[in-house]
Amino acid sequence: DTAVSQTPKYLVTQMGNDKSIKCEQNLGHDTMYWYKQDSKKFLKIMFSYNNKELIINETVPNRFSPKSPDKAHLNLHINSLELGDSAVYFCASSQVPGDREAETQYFGPGTRLLVL
Amino acid sequence: AQKITQTQPGMFVQEKEAVTLDCTYDTSDPSYGLFWYKQPSSGEMIFLIYQGSYDQQNATEGRYSLNFQKARKSANLVISASQLGDSAMYFCAMRESSSGGYQKVTFGTGTKLQVIP
């Protein structure tokens, strides 16, 4: 019954490797997000997709590339991993943007990435 | 300028007491939303409560209430009758329009609450 799921939960890898994190939501939401939470717990948005289209792209290195095969999935691919990429990555989803009604974002459990 | 400011990095509260976690915000968007999320040590982000900028009454959800003072741009979270399970990080967040007309959510730096038995 998981609303927003992410895999893997933990990811330990060497510097320079390429890795992907997958996210799926079964809430029927149109918008999905990727956030990065650093070691100081600061949560910052990276990307947002609405119906498979990129709508928010914050200042993120080109090594990070989101891909949305359909509106229920938003994957994050990271090339040439660096030490500074170590963080917790959260996927989230919400209803249609631009709607000024309540737009609560529901979060996945997070993926703890450690780059050695 | 910070969009969301949480000035209390850490707070202690006695079990069964009430506690207020502060949050101030800055926006020029006439329509916005304010959220509080809880992040326990297990790491998940749990939605607690929402307040819309046009809502006339303060939001309440069980033991959580949001003290919304629009003129002062504050949206403090009040937890009544604290329980040990309330020990966690608490994040205030704001939804507002970004360029392009889409909604964007910005999070504060969080307050770590510890409930003392």
Side-chain angles (χ1 to χ4, degrees):
Chain A
D1 251 61
T2 307
V4 183
S5 59
Q6 292 178 231
T7 53
K9 191 169 182 181
Y10 298 96
L11 187 52
V12 181
T13 188
Q14 297 286 338
M15 217 165 43
N17 284 350
D18 303 338
K19 290 291 178 187
S20 291
I21 307 171
K22 294 185 177 181
C23 178
E24 177 181 359
Q25 55 95 4
N26 62 6
L27 297 166
H29 288 163
D30 292 300
T31 308
M32 296 184 72
Y33 310 81
W34 276 109
Y35 286 88
K36 178 180 179 180
Q37 187 175 41
D38 62 24
S39 58
K40 295 183 179 178
K41 299 292 187 181
F42 184 61
L43 199 64
K44 187 169 167 52
I45 190 165
M46 300 172 69
F47 301 104
S48 175
Y49 268 73
N50 173 246
N51 274 324
K52 303 192 295 175
E53 284 191 36
L54 181 66
I55 58 172
I56 291 176
N57 184 355
E58 294 295 294
T59 308
V60 176
N62 291 340
R63 299 181 295 103
F64 290 80
S65 53
K67 283 188 173 51
S68 182
D70 55 62
K71 75 174 192 177
H73 296 83
L74 180 61
N75 303 324
L76 183 66
H77 188 76
I78 315 171
N79 288 325
S80 303
L81 278 155
E82 300 178 356
L83 296 176
D85 298 332
S86 296
V88 181
Y89 292 85
F90 284 99
C91 177
S93 74
S94 68
Q95 290 177 336
V96 179
D99 181 355
R100 292 185 180 276
E101 297 298 314
E103 191 184 281
T104 301
Q105 294 186 10
Y106 293 92
F107 282 75
T111 295
R112 286 138 192 86
L113 172 65
L114 177 61
V115 182
L116 303 174
Chain B
Q2 293 284 348
K3 290 278 187 179
I4 293 283
T5 302
Q6 294 181 252
T7 56
Q8 307 151 314
M11 291 275 288
F12 289 93
V13 65
Q14 202 77 39
E15 196 178 4
K16 300 179 186 175
E17 297 289 314
V19 64
T20 298
L21 306 184
D22 294 341
C23 174
T24 56
Y25 60 91
D26 181 28
T27 182
S28 56
D29 195 345
S31 178
Y32 52 90
L34 297 153
F35 305 84
W36 278 92
Y37 284 84
K38 172 184 178 182
Q39 187 177 39
S41 58
S42 51
E44 69 268 35
M45 293 286 286
I46 303 166
F47 166 70
L48 295 179
I49 196 167
Y50 168 83
Q51 178 85 43
S53 58
Y54 290 118
D55 292 343
Q56 296 294 318
Q57 294 188 325
N58 287 343
T60 59
E61 290 284 348
R63 294 186 299 110
Y64 304 108
S65 60
L66 200 152
N67 184 0
F68 181 46
Q69 298 187 45
K70 195 170 182 177
R72 297 179 62 184
K73 294 190 173 181
S74 74
N76 299 338
L77 177 70
V78 180
I79 306 174
S80 62
S82 296
Q83 301 172 357
L84 295 178
D86 294 334
S87 294
M89 280 286 281
Y90 288 82
F91 292 94
C92 180
M94 176 176 66
R95 167 190 60 76
E96 58 177 343
S97 296
S98 65
S99 57
Y102 291 103
Q103 302 293 302
K104 180 179 170 182
V105 176
T106 305
F107 284 78
T109 51
T111 295
K112 185 170 183 178
L113 176 67
Q114 294 189 58
V115 181
I116 305 166

